Amino acid sequence: FSYISGGLKSPSFLINQIFENQNKKVNIKYINLSKVYKNKFSQNEINLYISENKDFLKRELVNLSYVKLNPQNLTQSNEYSNQYFQAIDKIENLIFDGANIDKIKNEYNLKLTSLDDFYLKKDENDKSLIEIYSNRNSDKINLIDKDEYFLLYEIKEIKKEIPSIKDVDFFNKVKNEMYLKEKNKLHQSL
């Protein structure tokens, strides 16, 4: 309920108070903190940060082999025939029996793509590699049904290493982490 718009004769002090609240100006002063944040670090500071945060900064590198199984490379046909799906079933059975990807490659004369020390980069756009890397800690060998093909892969080895400081992605990650740490320190001290 409002006295002003309610149809009653309002006292002048209420009218003046509402007028002042609606028309007041507020002067705001602020400090641009982006100029205060530390964003340049010496090589010694970067090396010290890396040595103090070794476990956090380690990157998982994966050695893997994979092949996209389609009728062309599995049965030398362009059609998804019964023969193709029987071969897929046999490959699944070999996986369940503990066969590795090299044995399957030799039996079906497949051409594998092998990658050593692979990690997921920000600009990676190969959906197969993204899926393999995201499933690296589950099954070491797997056959995944995709819409147009089956993806067969094997993770041979996973290792955690600190990348070289010359790696641009790693260097930018370290600088960004240091920047955020300094930013948090400044905010806590305010």
Side-chain angles (χ1 to χ4, degrees):
F1 180 73
S2 173
Y3 287 106
I4 300 296
S5 64
L8 299 173
K9 179 157 171 79
S10 302
S12 59
F13 78 91
L14 268 179
I15 295 170
N16 289 339
Q17 186 180 17
I18 290 173
F19 177 79
E20 286 176 9
N21 285 338
Q22 289 178 349
N23 294 312
K24 69 176 143 180
K25 293 181 180 178
V26 178
N27 291 329
I28 298 175
K29 293 183 180 180
Y30 66 93
I31 300 171
N32 187 355
L33 290 177
S34 62
K35 294 178 181 176
V36 178
Y37 297 142
K38 182 177 180 180
N39 59 4
K40 294 186 180 181
F41 303 98
S42 70
Q43 191 64 37
N44 288 337
E45 289 174 316
I46 293 171
N47 291 336
L48 180 64
Y49 182 81
I50 291 171
S51 66
E52 290 175 350
N53 297 287
K54 286 180 184 176
D55 293 335
F56 175 68
L57 295 172
K58 285 184 179 178
R59 179 186 291 159
E60 284 191 345
L61 303 173
V62 178
N63 296 342
L64 62 98
S65 296
Y66 73 98
V67 64
K68 295 177 182 180
L69 300 174
N70 55 39
Q72 186 69 35
N73 67 0
L74 198 58
T75 60
Q76 287 70 41
S77 169
N78 289 332
E79 297 181 18
Y80 292 93
S81 63
N82 194 26
Q83 181 185 8
Y84 170 73
F85 290 108
Q86 286 175 348
I88 293 293
D89 288 340
K90 287 180 184 176
I91 290 172
E92 280 184 327
N93 289 338
L94 286 170
I95 291 171
F96 290 136
D97 291 339
N100 64 12
I101 200 165
D102 292 322
K103 181 177 180 182
I104 296 169
K105 174 192 90 160
N106 292 336
E107 190 165 323
Y108 289 94
N109 197 22
L110 300 171
K111 293 181 181 173
L112 297 177
T113 303
S114 295
L115 299 172
D116 291 332
D117 296 338
F118 174 77
Y119 69 96
L120 205 56
K121 296 175 181 73
K122 288 181 182 179
D123 60 347
E124 184 63 59
N125 56 10
D126 186 340
K127 292 181 181 180
S128 299
L129 288 175
I130 293 170
E131 185 166 4
I132 292 170
Y133 192 79
S134 63
N135 292 329
R136 69 190 175 278
N137 293 319
S138 58
D139 296 327
K140 296 299 176 197
I141 184 168
N142 202 356
L143 181 67
I144 300 174
D145 182 8
K146 306 306 261 175
D147 289 336
E148 298 174 7
Y149 60 90
F150 280 83
L151 177 64
L152 173 65
Y153 71 88
E154 181 178 23
I155 307 260
K156 308 239 181 197
E157 181 183 12
I158 299 175
K159 53 189 172 184
K160 291 185 177 185
E161 293 180 356
I162 294 180
S164 167
I165 195 73
K166 295 175 185 174
D167 183 342
V168 176
D169 290 338
F170 177 68
F171 185 74
N172 289 337
K173 177 183 176 183
V174 169
K175 280 180 51 178
N176 188 42
E177 293 291 331
M178 292 177 71
Y179 173 75
L180 291 175
K181 184 178 178 183
E182 292 296 322
K183 188 175 172 180
N184 286 337
K185 275 185 191 177
L186 180 67
H187 288 186
Q188 287 176 353
S189 68
L190 295 177

